[in-house]
Amino acid sequence: QAYLETNCPEFTTAGNQPGCGDFVQIGNGVPSTDLTSSAWGDRSGGTVAAVVRSSADSSTMWAATSTGRVFFSSNADAAAGSVVWERLDSSSSVDPNRFVSGITIDPANPSHAWMVYSSYSSLTSATPGHVFDVTRSAPSTATWTSLDNPGGTPFPDFPATSIARDRN
């Protein structure tokens, strides 16, 4: 604490400054240490917007960016430099190219998650939707199902900012 207070002022120190905070790059080399890198193809830039580890399996982690990229790791409990990421959104033709604002992992199946997107479907009319059911089926491959209109009252064209699972 004394070192941090002296050398890492909260408002003037970068979060990734060595010795300050707990920033650790998770990945095994370029581009996987930067999920926003152009080396991953389209939707580059932005920031990492969501990171969630499975409560049932500590080796599983999902992450997403503000440009709509979605990643999966099945070895997230390995040493930080050994973690391998798979990009899942590039296997979908229905996920919107918008900010991923929340992810909840199914506790019964760490390869299954629900995620929500912010902003408005009218901005990505070819790929509308806010709430998705996503199941990783193979490396870098997932099945995406929109839950915006499951037969009941449709989800309105409003930004979804968070998602939680109700076990009932």
Short mmCIF file of all heavy atoms in Angstrom, two decimals, residues 88-120:
data_model
loop_
_atom_site.label_atom_id
_atom_site.label_comp_id
_atom_site.label_asym_id
_atom_site.label_seq_id
_atom_site.Cartn_x
_atom_site.Cartn_y
_atom_site.Cartn_z
N LEU A 88 -15.16 -15.88 -31.66
CA LEU A 88 -16.42 -16.56 -31.99
C LEU A 88 -17.34 -15.74 -32.89
O LEU A 88 -18.10 -16.31 -33.67
CB LEU A 88 -17.17 -16.93 -30.72
CG LEU A 88 -16.49 -17.93 -29.78
CD1 LEU A 88 -17.37 -18.20 -28.57
CD2 LEU A 88 -16.17 -19.22 -30.51
N ASP A 89 -17.33 -14.42 -32.79
CA ASP A 89 -18.30 -13.62 -33.55
C ASP A 89 -18.11 -13.76 -35.05
O ASP A 89 -19.06 -13.62 -35.81
CB ASP A 89 -18.22 -12.15 -33.14
CG ASP A 89 -16.90 -11.52 -33.49
OD1 ASP A 89 -15.93 -11.75 -32.74
OD2 ASP A 89 -16.80 -10.83 -34.51
N SER A 90 -16.90 -14.05 -35.50
CA SER A 90 -16.67 -14.18 -36.94
C SER A 90 -17.34 -15.42 -37.53
O SER A 90 -17.44 -15.56 -38.74
CB SER A 90 -15.17 -14.16 -37.25
OG SER A 90 -14.51 -15.15 -36.53
N SER A 91 -17.82 -16.34 -36.66
CA SER A 91 -18.53 -17.52 -37.15
C SER A 91 -20.04 -17.28 -37.26
O SER A 91 -20.78 -18.17 -37.64
CB SER A 91 -18.29 -18.73 -36.22
OG SER A 91 -18.95 -18.56 -34.99
N SER A 92 -20.48 -16.05 -36.95
CA SER A 92 -21.91 -15.75 -36.95
C SER A 92 -22.28 -14.79 -38.07
O SER A 92 -21.52 -13.88 -38.40
CB SER A 92 -22.29 -15.11 -35.61
OG SER A 92 -23.62 -14.66 -35.66
N SER A 93 -23.47 -14.99 -38.60
CA SER A 93 -23.98 -14.03 -39.59
C SER A 93 -25.10 -13.18 -38.98
O SER A 93 -25.66 -12.33 -39.65
CB SER A 93 -24.52 -14.78 -40.81
OG SER A 93 -25.57 -15.64 -40.42
N VAL A 94 -25.41 -13.41 -37.68
CA VAL A 94 -26.53 -12.69 -37.07
C VAL A 94 -26.12 -11.76 -35.93
O VAL A 94 -26.93 -10.95 -35.49
CB VAL A 94 -27.62 -13.66 -36.56
CG1 VAL A 94 -28.21 -14.46 -37.70
CG2 VAL A 94 -27.10 -14.56 -35.46
N ASP A 95 -24.88 -11.86 -35.43
CA ASP A 95 -24.51 -10.97 -34.31
C ASP A 95 -24.28 -9.56 -34.82
O ASP A 95 -23.71 -9.35 -35.88
CB ASP A 95 -23.28 -11.50 -33.57
CG ASP A 95 -22.01 -11.30 -34.34
OD1 ASP A 95 -21.94 -11.74 -35.50
OD2 ASP A 95 -21.08 -10.69 -33.79
N PRO A 96 -24.76 -8.56 -34.07
CA PRO A 96 -24.61 -7.18 -34.52
C PRO A 96 -23.20 -6.65 -34.31
O PRO A 96 -22.50 -7.06 -33.40
CB PRO A 96 -25.61 -6.41 -33.66
CG PRO A 96 -26.08 -7.32 -32.61
CD PRO A 96 -25.57 -8.68 -32.88
N ASN A 97 -22.82 -5.75 -35.16
CA ASN A 97 -21.52 -5.09 -35.08
C ASN A 97 -21.65 -3.89 -34.13
O ASN A 97 -21.52 -2.75 -34.54
CB ASN A 97 -21.10 -4.66 -36.48
CG ASN A 97 -19.71 -4.08 -36.52
OD1 ASN A 97 -18.99 -4.09 -35.54
ND2 ASN A 97 -19.33 -3.56 -37.67
N ARG A 98 -21.97 -4.21 -32.86
CA ARG A 98 -22.18 -3.16 -31.86
C ARG A 98 -21.53 -3.55 -30.54
O ARG A 98 -21.06 -4.67 -30.37
CB ARG A 98 -23.69 -2.92 -31.64
CG ARG A 98 -24.43 -2.47 -32.87
CD ARG A 98 -25.82 -1.91 -32.55
NE ARG A 98 -26.58 -2.68 -31.59
CZ ARG A 98 -27.47 -3.63 -31.89
NH1 ARG A 98 -27.71 -3.93 -33.15
NH2 ARG A 98 -28.14 -4.26 -30.94
N PHE A 99 -21.57 -2.65 -29.60
CA PHE A 99 -20.98 -2.79 -28.27
C PHE A 99 -21.60 -3.94 -27.50
O PHE A 99 -22.81 -3.99 -27.29
CB PHE A 99 -21.23 -1.47 -27.52
CG PHE A 99 -20.55 -1.34 -26.20
CD1 PHE A 99 -19.34 -0.70 -26.10
CD2 PHE A 99 -21.14 -1.81 -25.04
CE1 PHE A 99 -18.71 -0.55 -24.87
CE2 PHE A 99 -20.53 -1.67 -23.81
CZ PHE A 99 -19.31 -1.04 -23.73
N VAL A 100 -20.79 -4.91 -27.07
CA VAL A 100 -21.27 -5.99 -26.20
C VAL A 100 -21.26 -5.45 -24.79
O VAL A 100 -20.22 -5.09 -24.25
CB VAL A 100 -20.37 -7.24 -26.30
CG1 VAL A 100 -20.82 -8.30 -25.30
CG2 VAL A 100 -20.38 -7.80 -27.71
N SER A 101 -22.43 -5.36 -24.17
CA SER A 101 -22.53 -4.72 -22.86
C SER A 101 -22.68 -5.69 -21.70
O SER A 101 -22.64 -5.27 -20.55
CB SER A 101 -23.67 -3.71 -22.86
OG SER A 101 -24.85 -4.29 -23.34
N GLY A 102 -22.83 -6.97 -21.97
CA GLY A 102 -22.92 -7.93 -20.88
C GLY A 102 -22.90 -9.36 -21.35
O GLY A 102 -23.37 -9.68 -22.44
N ILE A 103 -22.31 -10.23 -20.51
CA ILE A 103 -22.25 -11.67 -20.78
C ILE A 103 -22.57 -12.40 -19.48
O ILE A 103 -22.07 -12.02 -18.42
CB ILE A 103 -20.84 -12.10 -21.24
CG1 ILE A 103 -20.40 -11.36 -22.50
CG2 ILE A 103 -20.79 -13.62 -21.46
CD1 ILE A 103 -18.95 -11.60 -22.86
N THR A 104 -23.39 -13.42 -19.56
CA THR A 104 -23.64 -14.32 -18.43
C THR A 104 -23.42 -15.75 -18.93
O THR A 104 -23.99 -16.15 -19.94
CB THR A 104 -25.08 -14.17 -17.90
OG1 THR A 104 -25.22 -12.86 -17.36
CG2 THR A 104 -25.38 -15.18 -16.83
N ILE A 105 -22.59 -16.49 -18.22
CA ILE A 105 -22.26 -17.86 -18.62
C ILE A 105 -23.20 -18.83 -17.92
O ILE A 105 -23.47 -18.70 -16.72
CB ILE A 105 -20.80 -18.19 -18.26
CG1 ILE A 105 -19.84 -17.22 -18.97
CG2 ILE A 105 -20.47 -19.63 -18.64
CD1 ILE A 105 -18.40 -17.36 -18.54
N ASP A 106 -23.67 -19.81 -18.65
CA ASP A 106 -24.52 -20.87 -18.11
C ASP A 106 -23.71 -21.70 -17.11
O ASP A 106 -22.70 -22.29 -17.49
CB ASP A 106 -25.00 -21.74 -19.27
CG ASP A 106 -25.99 -22.82 -18.88
OD1 ASP A 106 -26.09 -23.13 -17.67
OD2 ASP A 106 -26.64 -23.36 -19.79
N PRO A 107 -24.12 -21.77 -15.85
CA PRO A 107 -23.34 -22.54 -14.88
C PRO A 107 -23.35 -24.04 -15.15
O PRO A 107 -22.46 -24.76 -14.69
CB PRO A 107 -24.01 -22.23 -13.54
CG PRO A 107 -25.35 -21.70 -13.87
CD PRO A 107 -25.27 -21.11 -15.24
N ALA A 108 -24.31 -24.54 -15.92
CA ALA A 108 -24.37 -25.96 -16.25
C ALA A 108 -23.55 -26.31 -17.49
O ALA A 108 -23.25 -27.47 -17.73
CB ALA A 108 -25.82 -26.38 -16.47
N ASN A 109 -23.18 -25.29 -18.29
CA ASN A 109 -22.43 -25.53 -19.52
C ASN A 109 -21.57 -24.31 -19.82
O ASN A 109 -22.06 -23.32 -20.36
CB ASN A 109 -23.39 -25.80 -20.69
CG ASN A 109 -22.67 -26.00 -22.00
OD1 ASN A 109 -21.44 -25.99 -22.07
ND2 ASN A 109 -23.43 -26.15 -23.07
N PRO A 110 -20.28 -24.33 -19.49
CA PRO A 110 -19.43 -23.15 -19.69
C PRO A 110 -19.25 -22.76 -21.15
O PRO A 110 -18.78 -21.66 -21.44
CB PRO A 110 -18.10 -23.55 -19.06
CG PRO A 110 -18.25 -24.90 -18.50
CD PRO A 110 -19.60 -25.42 -18.83
N SER A 111 -19.62 -23.63 -22.09
CA SER A 111 -19.56 -23.28 -23.51
C SER A 111 -20.83 -22.60 -23.99
O SER A 111 -21.00 -22.36 -25.19
CB SER A 111 -19.30 -24.54 -24.35
OG SER A 111 -18.02 -25.04 -24.10
N HIS A 112 -21.72 -22.29 -23.07
CA HIS A 112 -23.00 -21.64 -23.38
C HIS A 112 -23.10 -20.34 -22.60
O HIS A 112 -22.85 -20.31 -21.40
CB HIS A 112 -24.14 -22.59 -23.01
CG HIS A 112 -25.50 -22.02 -23.21
ND1 HIS A 112 -26.47 -22.08 -22.24
CD2 HIS A 112 -26.06 -21.37 -24.27
CE1 HIS A 112 -27.57 -21.50 -22.70
NE2 HIS A 112 -27.34 -21.08 -23.92
N ALA A 113 -23.46 -19.27 -23.29
CA ALA A 113 -23.60 -17.97 -22.62
C ALA A 113 -24.73 -17.18 -23.25
O ALA A 113 -25.18 -17.47 -24.36
CB ALA A 113 -22.31 -17.17 -22.73
N TRP A 114 -25.21 -16.21 -22.50
CA TRP A 114 -26.16 -15.24 -23.01
C TRP A 114 -25.44 -13.91 -23.03
O TRP A 114 -24.69 -13.58 -22.11
CB TRP A 114 -27.39 -15.15 -22.11
CG TRP A 114 -28.15 -16.44 -22.03
CD1 TRP A 114 -29.12 -16.89 -22.88
CD2 TRP A 114 -28.00 -17.46 -21.03
NE1 TRP A 114 -29.58 -18.12 -22.46
CE2 TRP A 114 -28.90 -18.50 -21.34
CE3 TRP A 114 -27.18 -17.62 -19.91
CZ2 TRP A 114 -29.02 -19.66 -20.58
CZ3 TRP A 114 -27.30 -18.77 -19.15
CH2 TRP A 114 -28.21 -19.76 -19.48
N MET A 115 -25.66 -13.13 -24.09
CA MET A 115 -25.01 -11.82 -24.14
C MET A 115 -25.96 -10.78 -24.70
O MET A 115 -26.92 -11.10 -25.40
CB MET A 115 -23.71 -11.86 -24.90
CG MET A 115 -23.76 -12.34 -26.30
SD MET A 115 -22.10 -12.50 -26.99
CE MET A 115 -21.35 -13.64 -25.87
N VAL A 116 -25.67 -9.55 -24.31
CA VAL A 116 -26.49 -8.43 -24.76
C VAL A 116 -25.63 -7.38 -25.43
O VAL A 116 -24.44 -7.23 -25.13
CB VAL A 116 -27.30 -7.81 -23.59
CG1 VAL A 116 -28.37 -8.76 -23.10
CG2 VAL A 116 -26.41 -7.36 -22.46
N TYR A 117 -26.29 -6.67 -26.35
CA TYR A 117 -25.63 -5.62 -27.12
C TYR A 117 -26.31 -4.29 -26.83
O TYR A 117 -27.54 -4.22 -26.75
CB TYR A 117 -25.74 -5.92 -28.62
CG TYR A 117 -24.86 -7.06 -29.06
CD1 TYR A 117 -25.22 -8.37 -28.82
CD2 TYR A 117 -23.66 -6.81 -29.72
CE1 TYR A 117 -24.41 -9.42 -29.22
CE2 TYR A 117 -22.85 -7.86 -30.13
CZ TYR A 117 -23.23 -9.16 -29.87
OH TYR A 117 -22.42 -10.20 -30.27
N SER A 118 -25.52 -3.27 -26.73
CA SER A 118 -26.03 -1.93 -26.52
C SER A 118 -26.38 -1.30 -27.86
O SER A 118 -26.28 -1.95 -28.90
CB SER A 118 -24.97 -1.09 -25.78
OG SER A 118 -25.54 0.11 -25.33
N SER A 119 -26.78 -0.08 -27.84
CA SER A 119 -27.14 0.72 -29.02
C SER A 119 -28.47 0.24 -29.60
O SER A 119 -29.24 -0.46 -28.94
CB SER A 119 -26.02 0.69 -30.05
OG SER A 119 -26.23 1.70 -31.01
N TYR A 120 -28.73 0.62 -30.85
CA TYR A 120 -30.04 0.39 -31.47
C TYR A 120 -29.91 -0.51 -32.69
O TYR A 120 -29.01 -0.35 -33.50
CB TYR A 120 -30.66 1.73 -31.87
CG TYR A 120 -30.90 2.63 -30.69
CD1 TYR A 120 -29.94 3.54 -30.28
CD2 TYR A 120 -32.08 2.53 -29.96
CE1 TYR A 120 -30.15 4.35 -29.17
CE2 TYR A 120 -32.30 3.33 -28.85
CZ TYR A 120 -31.33 4.24 -28.45
OH TYR A 120 -31.54 5.02 -27.35
#
